[in-house]
């Protein structure tokens, strides 16, 4: 066999972190031993939103969707025996990105590393948090300042580090069309670079442009996704040249990592997700000129819950087989000159340029946040309507539903669960940390942090000093809230009925009839308790309920139990719907149901939706929940009829539900 010069493969990553820093460290070292070549850290929701593990809003969320990192000791444990100077680490963190990067740098210095040699990425895209993921803290303008502070610090102190990952991943998860994903992500990058341009010498600006990276999503529509990536590379090159005058091609290179689509993974027949993940990976690896620099793949069972180490290993092996067993890396680009690909890329670029011009006329991404959020909700409604009607086929969901039981689903339900005792143990460690530190040093560090935030000083230097002094995540974020204020982003659900009311006549009539019997318009309150920012489901339920003629009350994400109870007493809804996708449904709903009983509100039926195993659904019913919905319940009209039935004064709303459907 003739020797063939092969391209270097992309970085192999697995998005991972759970329970505790020590448990996550063991998982990382195990994954690295199995051939993973980079780390991708998942943080829990309190860490992402700037709360310590003992905060009211953190209840039930500690260690659930990632690892809790409340202080330097946690970060130290997370990377124990992992030499950071030799590692390429991606940290999926946004609002608290300056803080987590500060902790990472502090640990690296403790290890004796030269921080100038550190390589990796901090996502640091707070703007998309207002549109999709929901882990923002402060208003957009100061959040933009925090993004660019990180970039300005990194290019001189940690020059190999990517200070921002413009994240289009969650835009697609929120329902973005390819053109919207392209335009909204590129507009975010433009907003950041426009701000950054004022913070660095002009001669250094091209270098900073070259350090901006992207984190994208690859969906199941293989050809469209491949063309989208080629369009991304060409549009970014175009923007760098025309808007910023970057002449060096290496600074105009579109540098991106990818996680393939989790939105399309199904709870039904979950073994089919293996094929979906593989097909989606092809879109970001086959075209050499638009190939990802790093790939992380979800596991087949992520629609069910937290994947086990074996599940993650299976996804890692998929990457290794593609890179090392096939001949993909031995050839140039397979699609250059293909007329079908060229035509599709040009169509995507034309649509994207039009949307970018529209955003620019509004004043850019920051000024257009409300507009972009509304567009995403509308697009997602169109997507879901297509699945519900059958116009869009999803195998195992709306066609070919009958199937054999999956042998992959063992006694553990096919997922890993977090021990409920983990939260109390994390809080104990947090209290021990607070008691052992020097209070005077903490006070000095927080004052310096506050002074930097209230001035034009870069936030990174005092943040690193605060990390070394023992400041906690909640204390760092508390200063940001104090100086910049908190923010509640737009829900994207307007009060006006949309034009997507076809097929709703029967439900609208039923809503009218029940409203007449109630003596006022049927009122449905949708609430998101806890820190879960995945609001797509709640938004679509609110969107459909509004179009069905209900009076909806949806205040958005991150509500305390006290907030929700106050809203119930004030708004007097006929039905309450709770959406929790972080896996924290049991403790959060249990606390809320106790408060509902204490306040004498048990006459109002409660619905709960989320990624909820059958056993948990039975436990929720025992708490008094009337209906439980999971991703299997994709037919929203059926849920609407349930709401009408539960609100009907002629029907006993307290009667046993029919069980999860």
């Amino acid at each position: 066999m003739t020797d063939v010069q092969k391209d270097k493969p992309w970085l192999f990553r697995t998005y991972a972190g759970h329970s505790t820093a020590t448990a996550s460290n063991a998982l990382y070292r195990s994954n690295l031993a199995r051939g993973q070549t980079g780390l991708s850290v998942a943080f829990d929701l309190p860490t992402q939103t700037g709360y310590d593990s003992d905060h009211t809003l953190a209840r039930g969320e500690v260690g659930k969707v990632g690892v809790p990192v409340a202080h330097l000791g946690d970060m130290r444990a997370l990377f124990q025996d992992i030499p950071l100077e030799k590692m390429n680490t991606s940290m999926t963190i946004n609002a608290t990105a300056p803080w987590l990067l500060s902790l990472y740098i502090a640990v690296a210095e403790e290890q004796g590393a030269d921080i100038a040699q550190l390589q990796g990425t901090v996502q640091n895209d707070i703007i998309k948090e207002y549109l999709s993921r929901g882990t923002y803290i402060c208003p957009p303008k100061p959040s933009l300042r925090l993004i660019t502070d990180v970039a300005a610090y990194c290019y001189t102190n940690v020059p190999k580090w990517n200070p921002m990952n413009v994240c289009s991943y969650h835009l697609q998860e929120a329902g973005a069309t390819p053109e919207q994903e392209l335009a909204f992500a590129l507009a975010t990058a433009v907003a950041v670079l426009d701000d950054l341009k004022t913070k660095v010498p002009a001669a250094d600006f091209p270098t900073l442009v070259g350090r901006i990276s992207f984190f994208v999503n690859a969906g199941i529509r293989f050809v469209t996704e491949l063309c989208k990536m080629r369009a991304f590379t060409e549009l970014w090159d175009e923007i760098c040249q025309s808007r910023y005058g970057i002449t060096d091609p290496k600074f105009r290179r579109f540098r991106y990592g990818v996680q393939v689509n989790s939105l399309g993974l199904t709870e039904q027949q979950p073994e089919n997700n293996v094929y979906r993940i593989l097909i989606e990976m092809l879109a970001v690896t086959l075209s050499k000129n638009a190939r990802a620099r790093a790939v992380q793949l979800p596991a087949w069972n992520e629609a069910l819950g937290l994947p086990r180490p074996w599940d993650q290993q299976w996804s890692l092996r998929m990457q290794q087989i593609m890179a090392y067993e096939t001949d993909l890396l031995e050839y140039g680009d397979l699609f250059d000159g293909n007329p079908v690909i060229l035509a599709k890329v040009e169509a995507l670029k034309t649509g994207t340029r039009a949307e970018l011009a529209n955003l620019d006329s509004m004043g850019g991404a920051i000024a257009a946040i409300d507009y972009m959020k509304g567009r995403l909700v509308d697009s997602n409604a169109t997507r879901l309507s297509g699945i519900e009607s059958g116009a869009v086929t999803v195998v195992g969901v709306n066609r070919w539903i009958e199937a054999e039981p999956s042998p992959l689903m063992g006694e553990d339900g096919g997922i890993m669960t977090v021990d409920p005792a983990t939260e109390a143990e994390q809080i104990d460690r947090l209290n021990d940390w607070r008691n052992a530190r020097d209070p005077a040093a903490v006070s000095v560090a927080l004052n310096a942090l506050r002074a930097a935030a209230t001035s034009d000083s870069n936030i990174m230097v005092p943040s690193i000093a605060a990390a070394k002094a023992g400041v906690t995540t909640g204390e760092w974020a508390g200063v940001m809230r104090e100086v910049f204020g908190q923010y509640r982003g737009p829900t994207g659900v307007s009060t006006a009925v949309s034009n997507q009311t076809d097929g709703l006549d029967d439900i609208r009539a039923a809503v009218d009839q029940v409203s007449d019997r109630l003596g006022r318009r049927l009122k449905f309150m949708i609430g998101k308790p806890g820190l879960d920012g995945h609001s797509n489901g709640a938004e679509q339920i609110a969107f459909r309920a509004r179009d069905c003629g209900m009076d909806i009350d949806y205040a958005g994400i991150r509500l305390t139990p006290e907030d929700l109870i106050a809203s119930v007493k004030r708004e007097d809804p006929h039905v309450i719907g709770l959406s929790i996708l972080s896996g924290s449904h049991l403790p959060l709903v249990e606390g809320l149901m106790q408060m509902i009983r204490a306040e004498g509100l048990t006459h109002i039926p409660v619905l709960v939706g989320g990624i909820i195993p059958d056993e948990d659904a039975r436990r929720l019913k025992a708490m008094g929940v009337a209906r439980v919905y999971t991703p299997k319940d994709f037919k929203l009209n059926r849920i609407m009829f349930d709401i009408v039935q539960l609100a009907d004064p002629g029907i006993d709303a307290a009667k046993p539900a029919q069980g999860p459907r």
Side-chain angles (χ1 to χ4, degrees):
M1 179 178 174
T2 305
D3 289 338
V4 176
Q5 184 65 41
K6 296 181 69 170
D7 291 336
K8 185 178 178 181
W10 53 90
L11 281 171
F12 302 156
R13 286 189 172 132
T14 306
Y15 183 56
H18 65 85
S19 305
T20 67
T22 300
S24 297
N25 171 261
L27 177 62
Y28 296 162
R29 288 188 285 112
S30 174
N31 285 345
L32 290 169
R34 292 187 176 106
Q36 188 171 302
T37 53
L39 294 178
S40 181
V41 183
F43 296 98
D44 73 354
L45 288 174
T47 305
Q48 291 185 49
T49 51
Y51 292 106
D52 286 333
S53 300
D54 57 354
H55 192 278
T56 301
L57 276 168
R59 182 170 182 259
E61 306 280 16
V62 177
K64 283 287 174 61
V65 300
V67 58
V69 176
H71 47 72
L72 184 61
D74 284 339
M75 188 67 90
R76 193 182 288 146
L78 186 63
F79 292 108
Q80 185 174 345
D81 298 324
I82 298 175
L84 297 187
E85 192 171 319
K86 298 178 180 179
M87 186 52 53
N88 191 305
T89 304
S90 172
M91 294 193 288
T92 304
I93 198 79
N94 293 288
T96 51
W99 175 242
L100 272 296
L101 180 57
S102 296
L103 290 171
Y104 188 87
I105 289 170
V107 168
E109 290 182 339
E110 284 184 350
Q111 291 184 354
D114 175 3
I115 68 166
Q117 300 305 312
L118 297 180
Q119 296 185 67
T121 303
V122 65
Q123 191 165 101
N124 198 25
D125 181 357
I126 306 171
I127 297 171
K128 63 92 179 173
E129 297 299 317
Y130 306 119
L131 304 178
S132 49
R133 182 61 184 83
T135 65
Y136 55 81
I137 297 174
C138 301
K141 190 172 181 181
S143 293
L144 181 62
R145 175 245 171 116
L146 294 178
I147 293 172
T148 52
D149 272 5
V150 171
Y153 174 84
C154 284
Y155 94 98
T156 53
N157 296 280
V158 199
K160 295 183 179 181
W161 194 267
N162 300 315
M164 187 198 186
N165 224 201
V166 181
C167 181
S168 75
Y169 176 86
H170 290 103
L171 301 179
Q172 186 177 126
E173 295 281 294
T177 65
E179 291 86 352
Q180 288 170 345
E181 184 182 347
L182 285 160
F184 295 177
L186 291 169
T188 294
V190 165
V192 170
L193 289 177
D194 284 355
D195 191 69
L196 194 53
K197 201 170 184 180
T198 67
K199 294 189 175 184
V200 300
D204 293 344
F205 184 68
T207 301
L208 271 162
V209 173
R211 293 313 307 175
I212 297 295
S213 62
F214 290 75
F215 185 66
V216 305
N217 198 331
I220 195 67
R221 290 176 57 79
F222 164 74
V223 175
T224 298
E225 294 296 311
L226 187 149
C227 292
K228 181 189 75 180
M229 296 320 308
R230 291 174 68 96
F232 247 139
T233 65
E234 294 174 22
L235 286 166
W236 182 240
D237 185 80
E238 186 179 295
I239 288 169
C240 289
Q241 286 192 74
S242 62
R243 189 179 185 99
Y244 299 115
I246 307 299
T247 57
D248 190 333
K250 73 179 181 182
F251 293 140
R252 302 196 307 262
R253 188 180 304 134
F254 185 79
R255 301 160 60 252
Y256 81 98
V258 65
Q259 171 156 322
V260 305
N261 191 292
S262 293
L263 178 69
L265 302 184
T266 64
E267 181 183 4
Q268 303 94 319
Q269 302 177 29
E271 62 278 0
N272 295 339
N273 293 330
V274 174
Y275 303 128
R276 294 184 175 105
I277 293 166
L278 174 60
I279 291 166
E280 290 166 353
M281 182 176 67
L282 293 176
V284 295
T285 55
L286 284 185
S287 178
K288 179 178 179 177
N289 292 339
R291 184 171 293 151
R293 293 169 63 95
V295 176
Q296 60 190 45
L297 302 180
W300 68 279
N301 54 352
E302 286 195 21
L304 307 175
L306 194 64
R308 301 157 300 191
W310 182 89
D311 306 315
Q312 294 187 325
Q313 174 187 291
W314 199 11
S315 287
L316 174 62
R317 294 292 181 255
M318 194 183 297
Q319 294 202 57
Q320 291 167 327
I321 290 168
M322 179 65 69
Y324 295 116
E325 291 193 24
T326 78
D327 57 356
L328 172 65
L329 299 180
E330 298 173 11
Y331 295 93
D333 197 288
L334 308 177
F335 300 96
D336 282 355
N338 182 298
V340 174
I341 298 296
L342 289 173
K344 181 64 176 176
V345 169
E346 284 306 313
L348 288 170
K349 287 164 62 177
T350 298
T352 301
R353 289 191 193 101
E355 187 66 88
L356 281 169
N358 186 31
L359 295 173
D360 203 42
S361 71
M362 297 179 188
I366 297 295
I369 284 171
D370 284 23
Y371 162 78
M372 290 190 287
K373 179 66 175 178
R375 289 293 305 275
L376 290 176
V377 171
D378 289 347
S379 296
N380 207 15
T382 301
R383 182 187 70 85
L384 289 174
S385 294
I387 295 171
E388 192 172 3
S389 69
V392 174
T393 294
V394 182
V395 175
V397 173
N398 60 5
R399 293 187 72 184
W400 305 293
I401 298 169
E402 296 300 322
E404 294 295 322
S406 172
L408 297 174
M409 305 285 286
E411 292 182 2
D412 58 3
I415 58 171
M416 181 170 64
T417 56
V418 176
D419 187 340
T422 296
E423 184 166 319
E425 293 167 359
Q426 173 68 12
I427 291 172
D428 287 343
R429 285 190 295 272
L430 174 60
N431 288 328
D432 290 344
W433 177 268
R434 289 176 179 143
N435 292 333
R437 64 189 183 173
D438 180 352
V442 170
S443 179
V444 169
L446 289 174
N447 286 336
L449 187 65
R450 189 175 294 106
T454 53
S455 69
D456 291 331
S457 299
N458 192 296
I459 208 73
M460 284 300 297
V461 173
S463 293
I464 295 169
K468 294 176 179 178
V471 167
T472 68
T473 296
E475 290 167 342
W476 182 89
V479 172
M480 300 303 111
R481 289 183 170 95
E482 173 191 331
V483 175
F484 300 130
Q486 292 202 84
Y487 182 74
R488 291 201 64 79
T491 66
V493 183
S494 70
T495 56
V497 175
S498 76
N499 59 1
Q500 300 186 34
T501 57
D502 290 347
L504 300 183
D505 291 348
D506 290 348
I507 307 175
R508 290 170 67 88
V511 169
D512 289 342
Q513 291 168 7
V514 170
S515 297
D516 289 343
R517 289 196 285 272
L518 291 167
R520 61 187 172 99
R521 179 59 45 179
L522 190 167
K523 187 157 197 169
F524 179 44
M525 190 185 93
I526 304 102
K528 285 196 65 64
L531 296 176
D532 173 33
H534 283 110
S535 59
N536 300 338
E539 289 158 2
Q540 291 309 312
I541 291 291
F543 190 102
R544 182 64 60 85
R546 177 205 64 194
D547 284 358
C548 288
M550 299 181 200
D551 180 5
I552 61 166
D553 178 20
Y554 174 51
I557 63 173
R558 255 189 278 166
L559 299 173
T560 66
E562 292 77 13
D563 291 334
L564 284 166
I565 294 299
S567 183
V568 171
K569 293 167 72 173
R570 182 180 63 252
E571 300 295 333
D572 191 22
H574 298 105
V575 180
I576 300 168
L578 303 176
S579 171
I580 307 166
L581 279 83
S582 63
S584 302
H585 41 270
L586 289 177
L588 290 176
V589 173
E590 182 178 28
L592 274 165
M593 296 306 289
Q594 289 172 352
M595 295 178 72
I596 284 172
R597 285 192 292 271
E599 295 289 343
L601 300 170
T602 54
H603 60 284
I604 306 175
V606 176
L607 320 176
V608 177
I611 300 173
I612 302 171
D614 288 347
E615 177 56 33
D616 287 1
R618 286 188 283 271
R619 293 174 65 182
L620 292 172
K621 296 287 185 63
M623 295 176 194
V625 172
R627 299 284 192 278
V628 176
Y629 302 100
T630 75
K632 289 195 295 286
D633 300 292
F634 66 94
K635 293 189 175 181
L636 300 189
N637 286 354
R638 182 181 296 172
I639 298 174
M640 296 301 113
F641 272 122
D642 284 355
I643 295 168
V644 172
Q645 182 187 47
L646 289 167
D648 194 333
I651 297 176
D652 181 7
K655 69 181 180 181
Q658 299 171 12
R661 295 174 299 171

